[in-house]
Amino acid sequence: PLKCLIFDSFYDNYKGALSYIRVVEGTVKTGDEILFMATNKKFVVSELGYLEPGTTVPAEKLTAGEVGYIAASIKNVSDLHVGDTITTVENPAKEPLPGYKKANSMVYCGMYPLDGGDYENLKTALEKMHHEVYIVTANLDNNKFIYDEKNKIIYLPGIKTGIYETKLTGIYSTKAMRIIKTWNLDIIHSQTEFGIGYFSRIVAKKLNIPVVHTYHTLYEDYVHYVTHGHFNNLAKKLAIKVTKYYCEKKCDELIVPTDKIKDLFINKYDIKKTINVIPTGIDIDKFKLTPAMKKEIIKIKKKYDIKETNFIIGSVGRIAPEKSFDKLLYNIKDMIKYNDNIKVMLVGGGPDLDNLKELTKKLNLEKVVIFTDKVDYNLVPTYFNTFDVITSFSKTETQGLTIIEGLAA
């Protein structure tokens, strides 16, 4: 009987989800009805073949000892389990190949992200890939230790950092450790270098499991929030050293969201570790224009006295000096000379909000620029769909998430 081991998967826009396989026993051909033994799902092989760098080469069949791919009009990668066994419906194997089990993953989120929806997106995506996901994060609402057993989330108390609404937790929690030991984890994914991030390294060492670390923020661009203009150069050097230490010495695998960060790590930070570039994903479905969203857009336009003839230039995110919204306003001052139907909508709050409002008055743009301040996280897709154009003058982006979200709207 056929036995194929799935060692990876990939989504092709034309062929659907592909299983990357090694044929251990038997032969698989185009047209065979196959069975995924872990899920008991059945599909018909539409194409198979060999893997070559950057491409696939179709073949008539794959036999024992060969490595290749199978396409079977599978719509979701979530239907494919790495480690699962593929056999045929006509002559099924009695037992799957040994070793398959569902992965238990743990995500440590410290000062990042600010919005609960961000780590929920990550949790949902990992669960679609059949991971059992547990989260340890900072409690932004109060200073209590909370274990949400139903959603498998530990909230740790911390102190306010003064940087937006972030909190810095301690580097160890006895309560959390007792709970974590019961989770039977396989891997840890850390999202921060401080507080909870350091805790994740302690847990990994105690449990003897690997740590994958994703680096999000160029701290050298944000030291002014801590130094308030004093010793900035020294603080930037320290930020680079801390980053290098954590990313080189304190994780088993390193992920960055863009080639920009990879190049910076290699050329400026001199990080020698292998750097994996994996862009941060978003839930595209949330940005689809629905009838309900259209009604919300009408409400937003009415609230801010926006006419259908207005051309809306928008931006969503923190209102902070490093985002360079002042440059946007100076450009708008020139643009309205040629088009007086322009409206600018800045969605979000932050430390530079009052300064930008003053600049708006100075430039006589009060009837042009709209400041919404913070909005409900669930309304963000609606605001993106309200805009005609999205804009960004930010100098510190590592991911460009707002641009991706704008393109999805």
Side-chain angles (χ1 to χ4, degrees), residues 46-235:
S46 56
E47 181 182 311
L48 52 73
Y50 302 104
L51 301 172
E52 289 192 356
T55 188
T56 54
V57 180
E60 292 183 2
K61 63 181 180 179
L62 293 172
T63 59
E66 293 185 316
V67 173
Y69 72 95
I70 289 177
S73 300
I74 301 171
K75 294 181 179 180
N76 298 305
V77 174
S78 59
D79 287 327
L80 308 179
H81 294 219
V82 173
D84 192 6
T85 300
I86 297 175
T87 188
T88 57
V89 173
E90 184 180 359
N91 183 26
K94 291 182 179 180
E95 294 181 350
L97 294 164
Y100 170 76
K101 70 171 185 174
K102 192 174 182 179
N104 283 354
S105 303
M106 186 173 189
V107 179
Y108 279 80
C109 305
M111 294 193 293
Y112 179 94
L114 291 181
D115 290 304
D118 290 342
Y119 64 69
E120 282 298 329
N121 287 342
L122 176 59
K123 182 175 185 287
T124 301
L126 287 170
E127 286 173 341
K128 284 182 178 179
M129 299 298 290
H130 313 292
H131 289 256
E132 191 78 26
V133 183
Y134 303 85
I135 291 175
V136 177
T137 189
N139 186 343
L140 300 181
D141 296 325
N142 53 58
N143 213 32
K144 296 179 181 179
F145 176 97
I146 297 174
Y147 177 36
D148 180 351
E149 190 170 357
K150 180 182 177 181
N151 293 306
K152 296 172 286 192
I153 302 174
I154 291 176
Y155 296 93
L156 296 180
I159 58 172
K160 292 182 178 180
T161 64
I163 304 173
Y164 307 119
E165 296 177 0
T166 59
K167 283 187 175 182
L168 183 63
T169 68
I171 64 170
Y172 191 80
S173 167
T174 304
K175 282 184 183 178
M177 193 68 213
R178 281 199 296 266
I179 296 168
I180 291 166
K181 283 180 178 179
T182 68
W183 287 348
N184 191 29
L185 300 173
D186 296 303
I187 192 168
I188 287 173
H189 186 183
S190 65
Q191 305 273 335
T192 178
E193 292 73 30
F194 309 102
I196 288 175
Y198 201 89
F199 182 29
S200 72
R201 273 67 172 179
I202 295 172
V203 173
K205 189 172 182 179
K206 281 181 175 288
L207 301 182
N208 194 29
I209 55 176
V211 175
V212 176
H213 179 62
T214 295
Y215 183 87
H216 298 279
T217 306
L218 288 175
Y219 294 106
E220 62 173 299
D221 292 332
Y222 293 86
V223 296
H224 59 276
Y225 286 108
V226 178
T227 64
H228 301 290
H230 304 289
F231 310 110
N232 270 359
N233 290 334
L234 181 63

